[in-house]
Amino acid sequence: MNDSKKQMKLSVISGLFWKFAERMSSQLVSVVVTIILARLLLPSDYGTVTLVTIFITIANVFVNDGFGVALIQKKDADDLDFSSVFYFGICFSVFLYLVIFFGIAPVIAVFYNMPILVPVLRVLALQLPIASINSVQQAYVSRKMIFKKFFYATISGTLISAVIGISMAYFGMGVWALVAQYLTNTIINTFTLRTIIQWRPSLSFSFTRLKELFQYGWKLLLQSLMVTIYGNLRSLVIGKVYSANDLAYYDRGSYYPNLIVVNVDAAMSSALFPAMSHEQASIERVRAITRRAIKMSSYIMSPLLVGFAACGTTFVSVLLTDKWLPIVPFLQIICINLLFRPAQTASLQAIKAIGRSDLVLKMDIPIRVFGLTALVISVQFGTIYIALSEVLVGILGVILYSLGCRKTIGYKLKNLYWDFVSNVLQALIMGLIVFSIGYFVHVNHILLLLLQISVGAVSYIVISIICKNSNFYYLLNTGKEFLHRK
């Protein structure tokens, strides 16, 4: 291996290490916080905030996506590019906030017949201008691949916001405890990252540079907007057609499996896209990075998702109390759907990295059309069927993204599918063992949960050794190499 390839490998490993450390630590705190808040708050409180955060998430797409990705992908992005995006983002986010404050908030409150949505949406939307500042900072950190900075910023925001949210919930402030937690997290994260990175915007602006970045970024912005709206459309429909409690059960059932995916998927995306962008001139290198990413992320993610689904009832009963048991079917269905995510993510990052943002948009349109059709049909039968329709969309997504990956970087379909299916099969064997323990062993629920987790971890390692899974040994060797380097 020559020096440049070795250096890139070490950069990717270092990036993955710090992104995993950031995601795992922050999400560990988040899990503890959500468990405490779930005990203190009512499902209806979560249902209210879920509706509001959906609209904030959609608005954030305009603020965060498109230009940020373009800054990372552009080979010769300089301070003028970053400063132009910085100032444009602030102006646009303030405009967007005013639209929400005076126009969208009252309309949404009337549509859902929930007056509380007006003040909640107006306060929570304050994070938009702050997020616009942070998006440029994050692009700078990602481009430089100094992911250790993310770790410090995320931990600071998560811990401080956790204390504020729990304190307010304890004193009976209900929905405002969640609002304060979300808003504080964004503020502290942005402020911390700003103090520990060297970049500052210069007093310069160029419409020409902004236009160049927009030519690449608008397709990804539109694609991200479609994904975000589509991803939250089910919650919007449930909130309108069914009750706030139904929405809370669906949302919490999706939340916990997605915590697993956020830890692995976000780390992979953040570390891989800059690395692939650096290597975009070599299709072979991009293909090699993509294949390794699919193998490793599916090897890590599959047992976590399958194991979580197998012990979901015990988990909810022990940590969230029995009032949240209705989320279990949603939790299990979402775990199944997310098994396809590693192949989707790595394929998407590869296609974006070589500059084919147009292909990303073309692939995404039929996926969303199919998803909308499935939603229209499933909403007539109940919330469980709405969740099941997501599985079908996930299958279609991995098929289309894999076709795009074959077209752009020559990643053969049989290799791509086997690279993640083989890991899923091993995880399913482990899942059967974990589920059997829950079915046949009758002990205290806390002991049962600990037993299921322990047996699941040990059995997956044993299965990996028996099957001579190369990913297991790659993880061991990579870990040793990284520790030796440190």
Side-chain angles (χ1 to χ4, degrees):
M1 182 182 295
N2 58 42
D3 291 340
S4 62
K5 290 183 179 180
K6 185 174 182 180
Q7 184 60 41
M8 180 55 66
K9 177 183 177 182
L10 292 176
S11 296
V12 173
I13 293 171
S14 177
L16 287 173
F17 172 82
W18 284 110
K19 284 302 296 183
F20 274 125
E22 174 212 343
R23 300 312 310 178
M24 290 298 291
S25 55
S26 66
Q27 295 301 335
L28 178 61
V29 175
S30 295
V31 168
V32 175
V33 172
T34 55
I35 289 172
I36 295 174
L37 290 176
R39 289 174 170 269
L40 294 173
L41 301 175
L42 297 173
S44 58
D45 293 326
Y46 274 99
T48 300
V49 173
T50 296
L51 279 175
V52 173
T53 53
I54 289 172
F55 294 101
I56 299 299
T57 301
I58 294 172
N60 263 322
V61 172
F62 292 98
V63 175
N64 295 327
D65 295 343
F67 282 119
V69 178
L71 286 172
I72 299 173
Q73 197 273 341
K74 186 178 180 181
K75 287 185 178 181
D76 55 349
D78 56 19
D79 186 66
L80 182 57
D81 292 300
F82 277 86
S83 297
S84 299
V85 173
F86 180 84
Y87 293 121
F88 175 79
I90 291 178
C91 294
F92 184 73
S93 62
V94 171
F95 167 75
L96 204 57
Y97 176 76
L98 294 176
V99 171
I100 291 174
F101 189 96
F102 292 106
I104 296 178
V107 172
I108 292 174
V110 171
F111 182 76
Y112 285 98
N113 194 26
M114 297 174 65
I116 186 64
L117 292 181
V118 174
V120 170
L121 185 53
R122 285 173 171 174
V123 173
L124 201 55
L126 288 170
Q127 68 174 269
L128 291 176
I130 303 168
S132 72
I133 297 173
N134 204 30
S135 66
V136 181
Q137 296 178 162
Q138 290 178 339
Y140 178 84
V141 172
S142 296
R143 184 175 178 83
K144 298 293 184 180
M145 299 187 74
I146 46 177
F147 297 103
K148 187 187 297 186
K149 308 294 184 182
F150 280 142
F151 177 80
Y152 298 128
T154 302
I155 289 300
S156 300
T158 303
L159 288 175
I160 295 174
S161 64
V163 173
I164 292 174
I166 292 174
S167 299
M168 292 179 66
Y170 180 78
F171 287 106
M173 301 190 72
V175 68
W176 291 106
L178 295 171
V179 172
Q181 182 200 1
Y182 293 148
L183 187 57
T184 305
N185 197 348
T186 303
I187 294 172
I188 299 300
N189 189 314
T190 302
F191 176 78
T192 304
L193 194 59
R194 182 163 179 77
T195 59
I196 61 178
I197 64 174
Q198 297 179 349
W199 181 80
R200 295 292 184 273
S202 60
L203 296 176
S204 57
F205 184 87
S206 172
F207 279 108
T208 302
R209 295 291 186 89
L210 206 62
K211 183 179 178 181
E212 291 175 359
L213 292 168
F214 186 73
Q215 287 176 346
Y216 173 83
W218 77 267
K219 304 179 190 73
L220 295 179
L221 172 63
L222 185 57
Q223 186 263 348
S224 182
L225 184 62
M226 287 195 306
V227 170
T228 304
I229 293 176
Y230 169 79
N232 289 284
L233 190 59
R234 286 175 169 79
S235 295
L236 291 172
V237 171
I238 292 173
K240 179 62 178 176
V241 177
Y242 300 96
S243 67
N245 282 353
D246 290 322
L247 176 58
Y249 295 142
Y250 176 86
D251 178 70
R252 291 296 92 182
S254 301
Y255 173 78
Y256 292 103
N258 273 289
L259 279 180
I260 297 173
V261 174
V262 165
N263 289 327
V264 181
D265 207 33
M268 286 288 181
S269 298
S270 299
L272 288 175
F273 181 62
M276 289 177 178
S277 295
H278 282 298
E279 300 285 351
Q280 59 184 282
S282 173
I283 296 299
E284 291 184 1
R285 289 290 301 140
V286 173
R287 183 169 61 245
I289 295 174
T290 304
R291 187 168 191 183
R292 176 54 62 187
I294 290 177
K295 286 182 177 181
M296 291 307 305
S297 58
S298 63
Y299 179 76
I300 295 170
M301 199 183 298
S302 296
L304 295 175
L305 290 169
V306 173
F308 194 26
C311 62
T313 302
T314 313
F315 169 85
V316 172
S317 180
V318 170
L319 297 178
L320 304 181
T321 71
D322 290 349
K323 70 179 179 181
W324 288 99
L325 281 176
I327 78 171
V328 174
F330 299 107
L331 183 152
Q332 293 170 334
I333 293 170
I334 298 302
C335 281
I336 295 173
N337 181 46
L338 293 176
L339 288 172
F340 303 105
R341 185 64 64 82
Q344 292 176 338
T345 298
S347 299
L348 182 62
Q349 298 307 318
I351 296 168
K352 286 163 51 179
I354 62 173
R356 291 299 307 275
S357 57
D358 60 315
L359 186 58
V360 174
L361 184 59
K362 291 177 182 177
M363 291 186 302
D364 222 55
I365 291 175
I367 296 175
R368 304 313 153 194
V369 171
F370 177 80
L372 288 173
T373 304
L375 175 60
V376 170
I377 296 173
S378 61
V379 73
Q380 304 175 54
F381 300 98
T383 52
I384 290 294
Y385 291 93
I386 294 176
L388 285 171
S389 69
E390 293 188 59
V391 179
L392 299 178
V393 178
I395 295 173
L396 178 62
V398 76
I399 292 173
L400 292 183
Y401 282 136
S402 61
L403 289 172
C405 210
R406 183 188 66 175
K407 180 178 180 180
T408 53
I409 64 173
Y411 192 173
K412 294 182 179 179
L413 296 183
K414 64 177 182 180
N415 293 335
L416 189 152
Y417 293 143
W418 181 246
D419 285 342
F420 82 92
V421 168
S422 58
N423 293 320
V424 172
L425 292 176
Q426 289 186 194
L428 288 175
I429 297 173
M430 179 273 296
L432 288 174
I433 297 173
V434 172
F435 180 79
S436 298
I437 293 174
Y439 188 79
F440 293 107
V441 178
H442 302 287
V443 295
N444 178 276
H445 277 184
I446 297 178
L447 293 177
L448 177 60
L449 182 60
L450 294 174
L451 181 62
Q452 287 179 308
I453 294 173
S454 301
V455 172
V458 173
S459 62
Y460 191 68
I461 293 174
V462 172
I463 293 170
S464 297
I465 295 173
I466 293 174
C467 296
K468 298 180 180 180
N469 193 305
S470 61
N471 300 296
F472 173 74
Y473 296 102
Y474 183 86
L475 270 178
L476 287 179
N477 295 331
T478 300
K480 293 177 182 177
E481 184 177 352
F482 179 72
L483 291 175
H484 178 71
R485 176 185 177 230
K486 298 303 288 185

